[in-house]
Amino acid sequence: MCVLTLFLFQDQYDGIDKHTQSGLDLVERYIKFVKERTEIEQSYAKQLRSLTKKYAKRGSKEEQDCKFSNHGSFQEILNELNDYAGQRELIAENMMTGICVELTKYLQELKQERKTVREGGREEKGRKKERGSSTKKRFAKEWAEADKATQQAEKTENDLNATKLDVEKAKTHAHARTHTAEECRNDYAAQLQKYNKEQNLFYYSEIPQIFNKLQDMDERRIRRLADGYCQFSEIEKKVLPIISKCLEGISAAGAKINEKQDSILFIEQHKSGFERPGDVEFEDYSQGIKPATSDSSLHPPKVRAKLWPFSKKHKPPAAEDFSHLPPEQRKKRLQAKIDDITKELQKTQDQSDALEKMKGVYEQNPQMGDPSSLEPQITETAQNIGRLRGELAKYETWLSEAIGGEESVNTINNNTHVAAVDQPHNIYTEFDDEFDDVQTPIGQCTALYTFEGNSEGTISIMEGELLSIMEEDKGDGWMRVLRANGEEGYIPSSYVKLAP
């Protein structure tokens, strides 16, 4: 016999009904709990992505170039953390689709099944109370009337004033009543027998079936909820290997930092090539004052070319189409800009597709969210896509012009000469000389590193830039070069590679 059937004998149908309803309420509470957990995961992932994006855009020039191991490792950490945020988003998505959506659908099915079973049980319970009640009342009524008629017949027969006709009439009435009571007695007995049969069927067949269905439904509900509990953990376990790899990548980024190598790289980038100053000669005032001399080599070469006046203050501003750069450098910069815009456009397009997909899910499952809440994001993304496509077309046009209209490097007049300067100069004033004449380049070189010319007389160069050599290194670690945009000045000799 079904375990729940035993409750019937204590009239616990209402208790069973409350128990099954409590189980359904628990499923609803769990669905709500998982939804709130997914909201936390999504918010956490969003904040992580914002954090990595914020710090990826900040930092010094060295950090952006990532030549130093400590700066490069920090960029790798930001990338790993961004991947980690993606895994948190995946957890939220899988919990929403695998637990919330599936359990919500299953809960609706259980509610409909329980409603059907409850209606059948109540109907059977109501019929049980009505069975046999009408025939029993009729039998009791007819038996009382027959007994009353019999007593009246005996009283009439003993009455001396009663006629023979009255006595016969009373006996006939009493006999008829007795006969009717016997028929009602037989009907009641038959109905009672039928009632007992139906009652046995109700207790041993119909009610067990109803409660068996309720028990089976409740056990299936418990097992499905248990699977949901386990799924809550399994979803996160599936991404733990990837999360572990992200954390290992962060540890690896920290472990590969080489402080000695970073120091050497910085020294190589900023070494001047100057020699230490020599001893100051003794000036014998008894023999007359002689000008103090020094073998100091803490200054660039004695002879400097006189070209047109130049200064850091008069550098031309960089053009948006990079027309201030040499043809090859311009093409590279334009192509790099196109690649960056293409990547950003693809990322924005993926974001737009994701929003459209999420909107479709909300439309099919309104309980998951309001589709109209995504409209501002979809509109903003569409505007960004249009803006990026416009920029991409603009830079592609400039690149096409640079490739199609490329001309050879302008030849510099070689009819001028350099006026030598013989008098000694102080290190802090030598770069103030003005260049009056144009000199013929003596060679070509390519910049190996980016150099920021922050001192008077120096210029800034970009990594990979093609330069014209105007004056060779005289042993002090500096050389004078001419950029394609007309800028001329000194740069460290170790920052360039001579062209063959």
Side-chain angles (χ1 to χ4, degrees):
M1 181 183 296
C2 174
V3 177
L4 292 182
T5 306
L6 299 177
F7 290 119
L8 181 62
F9 299 104
Q10 286 79 32
D11 196 19
Q12 293 295 320
Y13 182 86
D14 292 338
I16 297 172
D17 187 65
K18 291 181 180 179
H19 175 75
T20 54
Q21 180 61 46
S22 175
L24 298 181
D25 292 341
L26 179 60
V27 176
E28 285 188 293
R29 286 178 59 203
Y30 182 63
I31 293 173
K32 184 178 179 181
F33 163 74
V34 176
K35 282 184 178 180
E36 293 185 6
R37 164 68 190 277
T38 58
E39 291 173 359
I40 293 174
E41 290 289 353
Q42 290 171 343
S43 176
Y44 178 48
K46 182 179 180 180
Q47 293 181 34
L48 285 180
R49 288 194 182 278
S50 299
L51 182 66
T52 55
K53 184 177 180 181
K54 173 183 177 182
Y55 280 89
K57 291 183 177 180
R58 299 171 65 178
S60 62
K61 187 69 166 60
E62 292 89 348
E63 185 175 352
Q64 293 175 7
D65 293 340
C66 297
K67 289 186 175 65
F68 296 97
S69 62
N70 52 53
H71 295 305
S73 294
F74 182 59
Q75 292 299 321
E76 292 182 14
I77 289 174
L78 293 179
N79 294 335
E80 294 291 349
L81 191 61
N82 190 62
D83 294 340
Y84 176 86
Q87 298 307 311
R88 306 313 305 187
E89 290 175 339
L90 183 61
I91 290 175
E93 181 180 353
N94 290 341
M95 283 188 176
M96 180 60 71
T97 57
I99 298 180
C100 295
V101 175
E102 293 298 327
L103 272 184
T104 300
K105 181 180 179 182
Y106 181 70
L107 180 62
Q108 297 301 323
E109 295 175 355
L110 281 183
K111 287 182 177 180
Q112 184 60 39
E113 181 180 354
R114 178 175 176 272
K115 179 180 180 182
T116 302
V117 174
R118 288 176 67 220
E119 290 176 352
R122 288 176 177 176
E123 182 180 350
E124 290 295 333
K125 188 176 181 180
R127 288 209 310 261
K128 176 180 77 69
K129 293 180 179 180
E130 296 176 359
R131 288 166 185 161
S133 60
S134 58
T135 56
K136 180 179 179 181
K137 291 179 180 180
R138 184 184 175 192
F139 169 64
K141 179 181 178 180
E142 292 295 334
W143 186 258
E145 291 293 334
D147 185 58
K148 182 179 178 181
T150 301
Q151 291 178 3
Q152 183 64 33
E154 291 177 354
K155 183 178 179 182
T156 303
E157 185 178 5
N158 295 328
D159 187 2
L160 298 177
N161 296 323
T163 63
K164 185 177 180 179
L165 181 62
D166 292 334
V167 172
E168 289 294 331
K169 184 178 180 180
K171 287 183 178 181
T172 302
H173 179 69
H175 180 73
R177 281 292 182 182
T178 301
H179 179 71
T180 302
E182 286 294 336
E183 289 181 350
C184 289
R185 180 176 179 276
N186 293 334
D187 290 342
Y188 171 61
Q191 189 65 33
L192 184 62
Q193 184 179 7
K194 180 180 179 182
Y195 169 79
N196 288 334
K197 183 178 179 180
E198 291 180 352
Q199 180 176 257
N200 289 335
L201 180 64
F202 175 76
Y203 278 111
Y204 292 97
S205 179
E206 294 174 351
I207 283 297
Q209 289 179 6
I210 292 172
F211 283 101
N212 277 336
K213 291 179 180 178
L214 289 175
Q215 180 178 351
D216 178 67
M217 183 196 72
D218 197 57
E219 289 176 354
R220 282 187 284 111
R221 188 267 310 167
I222 294 173
R223 174 43 48 199
R224 182 65 183 84
L225 188 59
D227 293 340
Y229 291 164
C230 297
Q231 197 174 5
F232 185 83
S233 173
E234 292 299 326
I235 288 174
E236 188 160 357
K237 285 182 179 179
K238 288 181 180 179
V239 301
L240 282 181
I242 302 178
I243 291 178
S244 297
K245 287 183 179 179
C246 293
L247 298 177
E248 290 173 1
I250 293 176
S251 299
K256 74 178 184 179
I257 294 177
N258 189 328
E259 63 277 11
K260 297 294 183 182
Q261 182 180 347
D262 284 2
S263 297
I264 293 173
L265 178 58
F266 179 79
I267 293 171
E268 287 295 327
Q269 289 183 355
H270 295 83
K271 67 181 181 179
S272 65
F274 296 152
E275 295 181 2
R276 294 179 177 86
D279 296 335
V280 178
E281 292 183 359
F282 174 74
E283 299 181 12
D284 190 356
Y285 286 91
S286 62
Q287 302 296 327
I289 298 176
K290 295 190 295 181
T293 59
S294 173
D295 294 333
S296 171
S297 57
L298 284 176
H299 51 74
K302 299 288 184 174
V303 180
R304 291 291 178 245
K306 289 280 187 175
L307 297 179
W308 57 86
F310 78 95
S311 172
K312 288 280 289 183
K313 298 180 181 179
H314 302 290
K315 289 186 177 180
E320 184 182 6
D321 61 352
F322 304 110
S323 57
H324 62 287
L325 298 177
E328 288 298 326
Q329 294 301 317
R330 183 190 183 196
K331 287 191 293 183
K332 289 182 180 179
R333 293 294 296 274
L334 287 173
Q335 185 60 54
K337 188 69 175 179
I338 290 174
D339 293 341
D340 292 341
I341 295 176
T342 302
K343 291 179 181 178
E344 187 176 358
L345 179 60
Q346 182 61 44
K347 182 179 178 181
T348 308
Q349 186 64 52
D350 293 341
Q351 183 181 359
S352 176
D353 295 341
L355 289 172
E356 291 293 344
K357 181 178 180 181
M358 187 178 296
K359 180 181 179 182
V361 173
Y362 285 176
E363 290 175 349
Q364 295 178 2
N365 303 278
Q367 70 274 10
M368 295 179 63
D370 183 11
S372 60
S373 63
L374 300 176
E375 289 298 334
Q377 299 180 32
I378 294 176
T379 302
E380 181 181 357
T381 305
Q383 293 175 352
N384 290 337
I385 290 175
R387 175 181 58 81
L388 291 172
R389 286 176 176 172
E391 291 185 4
L392 182 61
K394 178 174 63 176
Y395 281 96
E396 286 178 344
T397 301
W398 286 338
L399 178 60
S400 177
E401 293 175 355
I403 295 175
E406 181 179 356
E407 296 179 356
S408 60
V409 179
N410 293 332
T411 305
I412 303 177
N413 292 330
N414 53 9
N415 297 326
T416 58
H417 61 277
V418 180
V421 181
D422 296 330
Q423 66 274 19
H425 297 276
N426 186 279
I427 182 173
Y428 300 104
T429 60
E430 181 157 358
F431 285 149
D432 290 334
D433 293 342
E434 295 180 350
F435 299 103
D436 300 322
D437 303 319
V438 178
Q439 184 182 3
T440 302
I442 60 177
Q444 300 287 326
C445 63
T446 303
L448 297 175
Y449 312 104
T450 297
F451 172 70
E452 296 289 342
N454 297 320
S455 303
E456 290 294 331
T458 62
I459 61 172
S460 300
I461 59 175
M462 300 293 294
E463 179 182 349
E465 183 176 356
L466 183 64
L467 307 168
S468 298
I469 303 174
M470 307 305 292
E471 184 178 327
E472 294 181 342
D473 184 1
K474 302 298 184 180
D476 57 358
W478 293 85
M479 63 190 307
R480 185 160 54 87
V481 297
L482 174 67
R483 299 183 69 186
N485 61 359
E487 282 189 293
E488 185 172 353
Y490 291 95
I491 62 171
S493 303
S494 60
Y495 273 52
V496 298
K497 177 181 179 182
L498 299 178

